[in-house]
Amino acid sequence: MPVVSGIGIRRYSLGRMAALGLVAVLLGGCTSSYYKAMKTFGREKRDILVSRVKDSKKDQLQAKEQIKTTMESFQELTGFQGGSLEKNYKKLNGEYEKAADSAQKLHNRIDSIDQVSNDLFKEWQKEIDGMENKKLKAQSAVMLRQSRLSEASYVKSMRQTEARMTPVITAFRDQVTFLKHNLNARAIGSLKGTSAKMSTDVDVLMVSLDGSMAQADSLIASLNADQP
């Protein structure tokens, strides 16, 4: 039973994911000093939030395409008709690692959106509390409530998408690890039965990603329309 050597299988431990998430938050600039610096360039928290939501849509599209590509590589390998098993395996492993990176990037993006939106809404509420004109104050409160609901709906949608993505990435990881340990025609044949189940999970994930991207557009429109 040959074993492919020299090809690492990437595993994301909880500790490593937490560390990456912390770095992303720090680099994302979710601090008062960052907001002050951005304000000197004319970028308020609202602008930062809109920018991150737009980036999240790009991240989701990238993740969607990469997961589709990884699934296609897995199907090609399980339907192996000849050629180099190791070459095909290396291709699948490379696609899996890209998919895992896309999932991690999306996870970090969700956290950064949640952080800046919370900071924006706190500032917005504080400004409303300081208003004297009751009519304008009430109108701003309505706009704040609508933006909170839109943001909460979007983040919930992204969290649900992430929850569907996790088992897909995990399944890819397990299949790639198994193939690394058992790279032969018999082992590949034993994985054919899992291909259909994985394909179904991927299809469901694709629909979820499309829904989240559509909600990103709705949230951007809401933030651009409602000025506190």
Side-chain angles (χ1 to χ4, degrees):
M1 184 181 301
V3 176
V4 178
S5 60
I7 304 174
I9 304 298
R10 186 170 303 176
R11 293 177 180 276
Y12 289 93
S13 65
L14 291 176
R16 185 165 185 262
M17 289 180 70
L20 286 172
L22 176 60
V23 169
V25 169
L26 293 175
L27 292 179
C30 294
T31 62
S32 58
S33 59
Y34 171 77
Y35 292 139
K36 289 178 181 178
M38 293 301 290
K39 195 169 185 177
T40 62
F41 294 101
R43 290 178 60 81
E44 301 287 349
K45 293 183 182 71
R46 176 189 296 275
D47 302 313
I48 297 169
L49 177 57
V50 169
S51 178
R52 290 185 183 181
V53 173
K54 289 180 178 178
D55 287 340
S56 74
K57 185 178 177 181
K58 295 177 183 177
D59 291 341
Q60 290 179 89
L61 182 59
Q62 182 182 41
K64 178 181 177 181
E65 295 304 318
Q66 185 55 55
I67 289 172
K68 284 172 61 178
T69 299
T70 306
M71 188 66 216
E72 288 168 0
S73 294
F74 178 67
Q75 291 173 329
E76 287 175 7
L77 188 56
T78 55
F80 184 72
Q81 297 296 321
S84 171
L85 282 172
E86 185 167 345
K87 181 179 179 181
N88 281 270
Y89 165 76
K90 287 181 178 179
K91 178 183 177 183
L92 173 61
N93 183 56
E95 298 297 349
Y96 154 70
E97 291 193 345
K98 291 177 185 177
D101 282 338
S102 293
Q104 182 63 56
K105 185 177 181 181
L106 185 59
H107 170 80
N108 292 338
R109 185 73 68 187
I110 298 171
D111 287 346
S112 73
I113 288 172
D114 219 12
Q115 178 66 58
V116 72
S117 61
N118 286 334
D119 293 337
L120 168 64
F121 296 147
K122 286 178 182 178
E123 178 183 83
W124 194 339
Q125 183 61 61
K126 184 177 181 180
E127 290 170 347
I128 289 175
D129 292 341
M131 296 174 70
E132 296 293 336
N133 187 303
K134 292 183 178 181
K135 182 178 179 180
L136 295 179
K137 186 173 185 177
Q139 290 176 346
S140 287
V142 170
M143 290 187 288
L144 172 57
R145 183 165 59 253
Q146 291 173 338
S147 291
R148 281 186 184 276
L149 291 173
S150 294
E151 188 273 344
S153 178
Y154 180 53
V155 170
K156 180 180 179 181
S157 175
M158 290 187 74
R159 294 294 187 194
Q160 290 173 338
T161 296
E162 183 182 24
R164 293 186 177 100
M165 189 178 296
T166 299
V168 169
I169 296 297
T170 299
F172 281 144
R173 183 201 66 199
D174 290 349
Q175 306 300 332
V176 172
T177 302
F178 177 78
L179 288 172
K180 178 185 177 183
H181 298 160
N182 306 277
L183 195 59
N184 55 52
R186 182 177 179 181
I188 290 174
S190 71
L191 294 179
K192 289 184 178 180
T194 66
S195 180
K197 173 62 167 62
M198 288 178 64
S199 181
T200 298
D201 290 343
V202 168
D203 288 343
V204 171
L205 176 57
M206 296 299 103
V207 173
S208 182
L209 282 163
D210 286 339
S212 290
M213 286 187 281
Q215 287 210 6
D217 291 332
S218 296
L219 177 56
I220 292 169
S222 173
L223 290 169
N224 285 335
D226 299 331
Q227 297 294 325

